Amino acid sequence: MARESFESFTGSFGGVVTFEWAPNPIIVAKQLEVAADALNNMALPLMAARDLSIADVRENFEGEHDPDGGAWQPWSISYIESGQTGAGILKKTFDLMDSATSPSAWPITAREVFFSFGALPEYGIYHQTGAVRQSAGRGRTRKANVAAERDMIASGFSLGEGFGINTLPARPFAGISVETQIKIVDIFDAWFGGIIGLAMN
C-alpha cells in the first residue's frame, strides 16, 4: 500500500492531508501495459479456434452432413450407376476433405482465422453451394454432348429436367456448428480472463 503526504496550509488552519493509494497506481499502470501487450497477441486462442474448426469440418465430411447437422443429399441414381462414388459422398479421392481440413485452408491473421476456398480444388465451391450446368447445344455434335454429359455425371452432377441440364446439389461442408462456436467463445473468454488475472496479481 502506497502512502503519500500532502501538506496544506490554506486558510487559518494548518495541517497534513494523507492520501493512501491501494494498489499503487504506478504498479497498476505497469500491469495494464503488460496486459495490453499480451492481449495484442491473439495467436494462441486463434490457433485453438482453428483446430476446433478443422475438427468440425472433418466431422461434416465423415458424418456427411452440413454444419448444422442436416444430412447431405445422397448421390443421384445416375452417379451411383456410373460406379464412381468412391468411399462416400465427397470422398471419391479425399482431395476435397484433405484440403478443407488442412491448416493451409485456415489462414490466421493478427485478429482472425478464416476459411479460404482458394486452398481447395476448384470444384470445391460447387459442392458447397450447388450448381447447374447446361450442355452446349447448337454447334456441338451429339457425340460431344453425350461425352460432356458423361463427364458431368462423373463429377457428381445428375441429369435434371430437359435435355442437357445437369444439377449438382449443395452439400455444405465449410462451416462450424453452434456448439463449436460456443467453445471458441469460451476459449477467448478464458484467454482474456487469464491475462487480466495474471496482470492484476
Side-chain angles (χ1 to χ4, degrees), residues 114-191:
F114 60 93
F115 183 76
S116 172
F117 277 95
L120 308 184
E122 60 181 6
Y123 56 82
I125 188 66
Y126 300 120
H127 287 294
Q128 174 76 13
T129 63
V132 176
R133 291 198 297 194
Q134 183 168 4
S135 303
R138 183 175 295 179
R140 295 277 305 267
T141 65
R142 175 171 173 73
K143 182 177 180 182
N145 279 335
V146 169
E149 287 188 358
R150 188 182 309 113
D151 290 342
M152 291 175 186
I153 291 172
S155 297
F157 285 77
S158 60
L159 294 179
E161 293 184 9
F163 175 76
I165 303 297
N166 297 268
T167 60
L168 182 68
R171 296 184 175 100
F173 56 86
I176 58 177
S177 65
V178 172
E179 292 79 10
T180 295
Q181 293 175 38
I182 292 171
K183 289 178 183 177
I184 290 173
V185 170
D186 289 342
I187 285 173
F188 275 87
D189 280 347
W191 168 76

Side-chain angles (χ1 to χ4, degrees), residues 42-52 108 113 188:
M42 301 174 68
L44 286 177
L46 286 172
M47 285 190 290
R50 179 187 64 186
D51 292 345
L52 282 175
I108 294 177
V113 56
F188 275 87

